[in-house]
Amino acid sequence: MNRMKIQITAELLDGVVLAILKQDDYYGYALTQRVQSVIDISESTMYPVLRRLKKSGDLTTYDKPYQGRNRRYYQLTAAGEQRLTEILSLWEQYKGNLDRIFYQRGEE
């Protein structure tokens, strides 16, 4: 799979993170790897995003022991699900507008 090389907005990155966490809880490194499988982002960019999403109430965290250490898992909240729904709606509108331009559909 090709990773997206187009620069993305913070809102779109939030949407990607929330969509992944809707599927399952992830610890930080695994979540970063999952996001990096589809978009070009550094690990140092992800942790501020996760902190911001947690502060806004879209995510919660819990720790789970793994090989003598704790891993911090991120989990989507009800507020995060609502935010994801809003982002997906905006994305569909934006994508539709771009598709009309890219594929020359719609009013001329």
Side-chain angles (χ1 to χ4, degrees):
M1 176 183 281
N2 291 331
R3 291 188 312 179
M4 189 164 87
K5 298 290 185 190
I6 296 170
Q7 189 166 2
I8 65 168
T9 64
E11 191 80 7
L12 188 54
L13 179 56
D14 289 356
V16 169
V17 170
L18 295 173
I20 290 169
L21 290 172
K22 183 173 180 160
Q23 300 165 16
D24 201 1
D25 299 352
Y26 280 83
Y27 62 95
Y29 179 75
L31 178 58
T32 300
Q33 295 296 305
R34 179 73 179 96
V35 171
Q36 287 176 332
S37 75
V38 292
I39 58 175
D40 196 19
I41 187 172
S42 69
E43 190 172 339
S44 62
T45 300
M46 276 297 296
Y47 286 98
V49 170
L50 294 171
R51 280 192 298 274
R52 182 170 39 78
L53 288 171
K54 184 178 179 192
K55 185 176 180 182
S56 67
D58 296 324
L59 301 180
T60 188
T61 59
Y62 62 90
D63 291 339
K64 197 171 176 182
Y66 177 78
Q67 295 183 350
R69 296 176 32 182
N70 275 339
R71 282 184 171 166
R72 174 145 300 157
Y73 282 78
Y74 294 87
Q75 184 176 48
L76 191 64
T77 64
E81 285 195 50
Q82 178 60 38
R83 177 119 185 269
L84 176 58
T85 299
E86 293 165 5
I87 292 170
L88 287 172
S89 176
L90 292 171
W91 170 251
E92 287 301 321
Q93 293 171 21
Y94 183 74
K95 181 180 176 299
N97 290 337
L98 288 179
D99 283 348
R100 279 191 291 285
I101 297 296
F102 288 150
Y103 303 111
Q104 300 298 309
R105 295 191 302 246
E107 298 138 30
E108 294 285 324

